[in-house]
Amino acid sequence: MAGTGGGRPSIYPTLLYADAKAAIKQLTEAFGFTELSAYEGEDGLVQHAELVQGNGAVMLGSKGRGGRFDEAMRGAGPTGVYIVVDDVDAHYQRAVDHGAEILMPPTDQDYGSRDYMARDVEGNVWSFGTYAPQTGA
């Protein structure tokens, strides 16, 4: 992902989960993300969390916590996110070892990438692979 300076990504996929704590657990354990921050409200709902993978990051929170983004996302379907990883097969094995639902095993693509797809605990589709287009930045 292209940064805005200081090594920061300029695009952050943002997801809401009915059980954000379970999503954080799966994303860190099965998919190798690192939890950068997580903030809970007094009600125990995750208000905001940031997870990093390589030089990219995702933001997530709990559904039903209120606010404009929560309202805008109400009724939205699952989302798809692509994450670049160095070793697709090792990453895939980690996901399998942690019980992730695999939608496509590691596959060599016609355009030169090797990638696999998995579904998270709430139906979002995560693709992990070697495809990293140049953005010109």
Side-chain angles (χ1 to χ4, degrees), residues 40-51:
E40 292 183 19
E42 291 180 16
D43 55 6
L45 294 178
V46 176
Q47 296 297 307
H48 178 80
E50 297 172 4
L51 307 179

Side-chain angles (χ1 to χ4, degrees), residues 2-132:
T4 57
R8 294 179 299 159
S10 60
I11 297 175
Y12 294 84
T14 306
L15 302 98
L16 293 180
Y17 290 91
D19 188 345
K21 290 177 185 177
I24 291 169
K25 179 177 169 56
Q26 182 187 41
L27 292 171
T28 56
E29 291 180 3
F31 298 151
F33 282 80
T34 299
E35 182 180 317
L36 184 62
S37 63
Y39 305 97
E40 292 183 19
E42 291 180 16
D43 55 6
L45 294 178
V46 176
Q47 296 297 307
H48 178 80
E50 297 172 4
L51 307 179
V52 296
Q53 170 70 260
N55 66 347
V58 296
M59 296 187 286
L60 63 93
S62 297
K63 289 181 180 177
R65 62 181 165 72
R68 292 292 234 154
F69 188 71
D70 187 43
E71 291 174 18
M73 292 294 289
R74 188 173 295 125
T79 207
V81 180
Y82 189 92
I83 305 293
V84 176
V85 297
D86 291 327
D87 186 337
V88 172
D89 295 284
H91 196 276
Y92 165 80
Q93 192 58 53
R94 177 182 182 153
V96 168
D97 291 347
H98 283 86
E101 178 186 352
I102 303 300
L103 302 176
M104 180 184 78
T107 304
D108 292 324
Q109 304 297 336
D110 293 340
Y111 49 88
S113 181
R114 180 165 179 78
D115 44 50
Y116 79 95
M117 282 190 294
R119 189 181 315 275
D120 73 17
V121 294
E122 293 194 17
N124 298 296
V125 176
W126 292 83
S127 298
F128 299 93
T130 58
Y131 183 69

